[in-house]
Amino acid sequence: MKVFVVGANGQIGQHLVHLLKESPEHTVRAMIRNEEQAKAFETIGVETRLADLEGSVEGIVEAARGCDAFVFTAGSGGHTGADKTILIDLDGAAKSIEAATILGIKRFIMVSAIQANNRENWGSMKYYMTAKHHADKILKKSGLTYTIIRPGGLLNEPGTGNVSIAEDLPTASIPREDVARTILATLTKENTFNRSFDLVSGEVQISDALNRV
């Protein structure tokens, strides 16, 4: 597969791009916002396209043309307001889903957030969780072959390769590197098609944990 990574310059996205670049099975195209980011990726031999989640659907369509799968790892970040959260985490996701549909790209992996499917557990992060919740619902209704991964609190420490995966897990944390590894392993794993699950650090290797989804 040629995998189109939306949010490639984010922390999970960067891990995923490097994993895809080294993969014997897949190739990667990074969607980025500006030429400076493009140069950084192209220096390490990664194909890029310029597009903006706050721009047009057509821009995303042209950037993704020729790819076989979408991975949406984009996020507005913890220091932005509700407006950016809605524009990136919700509408940006919706535009990406629309672009995939226009292009006939069926495989779509969404990086969501743990408990986004449970309104009663949203706490103080209601704008963010609302955006994730409704982006996930749009994807489920899209007709695309989706997988929704809901990771726990994200860490920058090295991944262990051991996780816990289930439909409903207590909130816990996970290294971003292990989220990226899980995305990679999920791409062609048919038992994860049209499924959603929580993801936190655990005691089971990623491949074995995904076998139990």
Side-chain angles (χ1 to χ4, degrees):
M1 281 186 174
K2 173 167 276 192
V3 182
F4 186 66
V5 179
V6 181
N9 200 54
Q11 295 181 76
I12 293 173
Q14 289 186 45
H15 281 297
L16 179 61
V17 166
H18 284 281
L19 290 170
L20 287 164
K21 181 178 179 294
E22 300 302 321
S23 168
E25 298 178 77
H26 308 296
T27 57
V28 60
R29 181 185 294 165
M31 175 177 147
I32 39 77
R33 288 195 309 265
N34 58 56
E35 292 288 355
E36 185 177 343
Q37 293 174 359
K39 288 176 184 176
F41 282 109
E42 289 166 0
T43 296
I44 60 171
V46 172
E47 181 184 355
T48 64
R49 291 290 188 278
L50 291 174
D52 190 342
L53 290 174
E54 294 185 59
S56 67
V57 173
E58 290 74 17
I60 301 171
V61 167
E62 289 309 311
R65 194 175 297 280
C67 292
D68 305 300
F70 263 73
V71 177
F72 188 89
T73 70
S76 57
H79 303 293
T80 59
D83 55 344
K84 285 292 185 183
T85 300
I86 296 301
L87 289 171
I88 300 301
D89 297 84
L90 176 51
D91 195 44
K95 287 175 180 175
S96 298
I97 293 163
E98 187 175 342
T101 302
I102 289 168
L103 288 167
I105 298 173
K106 295 294 290 182
R107 189 72 177 109
F108 198 111
I109 296 178
M110 177 80 81
V111 179
S112 183
I114 197 167
Q115 296 299 328
N117 56 324
N118 294 319
R119 283 192 177 97
E120 63 273 17
N121 295 331
W122 287 358
S124 62
M125 299 178 66
K126 287 186 178 179
Y127 283 114
Y128 175 74
M129 298 299 273
T130 297
K132 292 297 187 186
H133 176 84
H134 287 286
D136 295 350
K137 290 186 77 170
I138 291 167
L139 179 56
K140 285 182 177 181
K141 293 177 180 179
S142 67
L144 302 179
T145 304
Y146 69 85
T147 302
I148 298 168
I149 300 173
R150 300 188 296 262
L154 299 170
L155 306 173
N156 285 328
E157 62 192 45
T160 66
N162 293 324
V163 300
S164 180
I165 290 174
E167 178 61 31
D168 190 13
L169 291 171
T171 299
S173 57
I174 184 168
R176 288 176 169 87
E177 183 179 0
D178 282 338
V179 178
R181 289 175 178 172
T182 303
I183 295 167
L184 178 65
T186 301
L187 271 166
T188 56
K189 201 161 186 59
E190 292 187 8
N191 69 304
T192 70
F193 290 3
N194 300 321
R195 300 293 300 275
S196 57
F197 53 82
D198 293 345
L199 173 69
V200 298
S201 291
E203 304 298 326
V204 181
Q205 289 189 350
I206 290 168
S207 59
D208 292 335
L210 285 172
N211 285 338
R212 303 174 188 177
V213 169

